Every structure is written in C-alpha cells, then in structure tokens.
Amino acid sequence: MPDMPPLTLGARPDVRADITTRAINSWDASLRAAVEDEASISILDPIGADMWGEGVTAKRIEGALRRIGGRAVTVKINSPGGDVFEGGAIYELLRQHSRDRGPVSVHVLGLAASAASIIAMAGDEVLIGRSAFFMVHNSWVIAAGNRNTFAEVAEWLAPFDEAMAEVYTARTGQDRDKIAAMMDRETWLTAARSVELGFADGYLDGAELTHDGADAAARDHLRAEKRFDLVAARAGIGRNDARGLLRDLKGDLPGAVTTGLPGAADIEAGLAELLADLKS
C-alpha cells in the first residue's frame, strides 16, 4: 500500500456538495453485504447528513472505529457519493486507523461514486464486485451568489480537485494528468477497468453480496424510493410532504387506493412530476 497523502477539505457557507443525477440513477440501494460482523462498517447511503439527519457522516464512522478498536476493519461501500468534504474527513479517519490500529479492507459492493470513491482509496486492500463501478469526477457542488461569487467558488474548488487527484494517483500509480483528465470528464469504471487501473486490487466473491427485499419488485421499490427522497431533498421538500405527494399520485390512479406504501411505478411517476415542477 503506498503512502497516501492527507486530504483535508473544508466547506464554506454558500456552497453545498451534491450528488450527480447519473449517480442517483445508477445506484442500486438494495445491494449490501451478505454477512456483517462487529469489525465491519457499512457505507450504504449518500455521504453526509441530509435534511432529515440521515446519511453517512464522519461522526458516525469515528464512533464505529472507536467501537472496533485496535483491530482490522472491513468497510463495505455501496454509495452514490455526496458531500466531498465529509468524504474527505472519513478518508482521513480510515487512514489514521490503518496507521495506528489495524489494516483497512474496502469492499465495493455496487457503487463507489464521487465522495464514496475517495473513501474507498483509504483501503490497504480494495476489492470490488464484478458488476460494481467506481465513478470519479471533480468536486460537484451547488452554490448561491452572483457571478463574482461563482468565479470565487471555482477558484476555491481547484485545490480540492488537485488534492483528490493526488489521492487517486497515489493509490493507483497512474499518471497525475491522466487522473485529472478522468475527473474532468466524469469517468465510470467497470470492475475490470478498476482493477486494471489500480483503483481496486481484486474481485469480491459473489456470495458476499445480497439484496434487500424478497423479490425484484421489492428491490425496485426501494431503489425508486431512495431516488425520490434524494431528489425531494435537493428540491427542499420535506419527507412528509414528499410521501404525501406520492400518496396523492397513487390515489389518482385508476383502481388504486389511497392507503399503504406506493409502488415503484408510482414513485417513478412522482419523481417525474417533481422534476417537471422544478424545471417549470
């Protein structure tokens, strides 16, 4: 394992890190590890706390590492990314554990995108599912202000992109300019390509993976629900209001009832309507 560089990133009040739409659409939220143990940490949600207080935070990871103590730890990742600043903090916590307490093994179950791909680079060993992906890109944020603010934000973000490129370069051994070009164009890496380029060291056994839900319909429902929640949060819509919108939509369908959880098709319809409202 190479000597990995530090990654200290700090947010600013008028900038919020966000998840790309493609990452949301590509994330199978039902995929997880078949077996969990007391020396493992699961990162199966967006990185950073959302408006409902959910998501993977450095505070949560720090508590889990404290509980595990001076032992080897396995970090299991299936995340569309999120807050790059929070991701940098989690990366540092894992690297510190590796230096001071025990080795860190990272298992990419389905998706390690954006900030989650940075976290994965903290592994002394990185294994990836054969149908899983890495995604790397430059810092992806939402900012508020005038043209001067945006020019300032762009300048402020440049060192963060350089720092992330250094982390990828150190882990993979690839040329720094090649990594920067991959980040510029938002690059999706299959498992085979991830191993070839050094983002991962090998493959996971398929028996280590499982899905939430008894059948494909249940998995589709969970995936659609997660996507709707992310888009609703991005639009500033609270969870209760979002769920109310979905119930209303289901009630408008022929033969549908107004009680119970909406189906995956109803959630997708609600998602489409919400996106249309945002664009209008």
Side-chain angles (χ1 to χ4, degrees), residues 257-278:
V257 295
T258 58
T259 59
L261 290 173
D266 307 314
I267 294 177
E268 294 289 354
L271 185 63
E273 180 170 306
L274 178 57
L275 288 172
D277 288 344
L278 293 174

Side-chain angles (χ1 to χ4, degrees), residues 18-39:
D18 203 6
I19 306 172
T20 69
T21 300
R22 187 176 179 190
I24 293 173
N25 292 341
S26 301
W27 178 43
D28 180 357
S30 71
L31 189 62
R32 57 196 58 242
V35 177
E36 298 286 352
D37 59 58
E38 61 181 13

Side-chain angles (χ1 to χ4, degrees), residues 244-260:
L245 170 62
L246 293 179
R247 284 194 297 271
D248 290 344
L249 286 167
K250 187 169 185 179
D252 288 339
L253 295 174
V257 295
T258 58
T259 59

Side-chain angles (χ1 to χ4, degrees), residues 75-164:
V75 181
K76 303 175 181 183
I77 298 177
N78 180 32
S79 170
D83 192 329
V84 64
F85 313 112
E86 199 79 13
I90 294 171
Y91 165 90
E92 283 297 324
L93 287 170
L94 294 175
R95 291 307 304 148
Q96 182 178 355
H97 185 93
S98 174
R99 290 190 300 267
D100 301 339
R101 295 184 175 184
V104 174
S105 179
V106 169
H107 293 181
V108 179
L109 309 179
L111 179 62
S114 187
S117 72
I118 285 290
I119 294 171
M121 296 296 95
D124 298 294
E125 176 189 53
V126 180
L127 301 178
I128 186 169
R130 290 185 180 273
S131 60
F133 286 86
F134 269 96
M135 186 274 271
V136 299
H137 65 168
N138 292 324
S139 305
W140 209 84
V141 301
I142 295 175
N146 58 31
R147 61 182 176 83
N148 296 314
T149 302
F150 281 93
E152 182 182 324
V153 167
E155 182 178 357
W156 173 75
L157 285 173
F160 296 157
D161 293 338
E162 292 173 5
M164 290 190 295

Side-chain angles (χ1 to χ4, degrees), residues 14-68:
D14 54 346
V15 175
R16 176 170 63 86
D18 203 6
I19 306 172
T20 69
T21 300
R22 187 176 179 190
I24 293 173
N25 292 341
S26 301
W27 178 43
D28 180 357
S30 71
L31 189 62
R32 57 196 58 242
V35 177
E36 298 286 352
D37 59 58
E38 61 181 13
S40 67
I41 297 174
S42 292
I43 296 179
L44 306 176
D45 287 297
I47 309 302
D50 61 22
M51 62 185 294
W52 301 305
E54 298 182 355
V56 181
T57 64
K59 182 178 181 180
R60 189 197 116 188
I61 300 302
E62 183 178 27
L65 291 172
R66 190 182 306 116
R67 170 182 53 79
I68 290 169

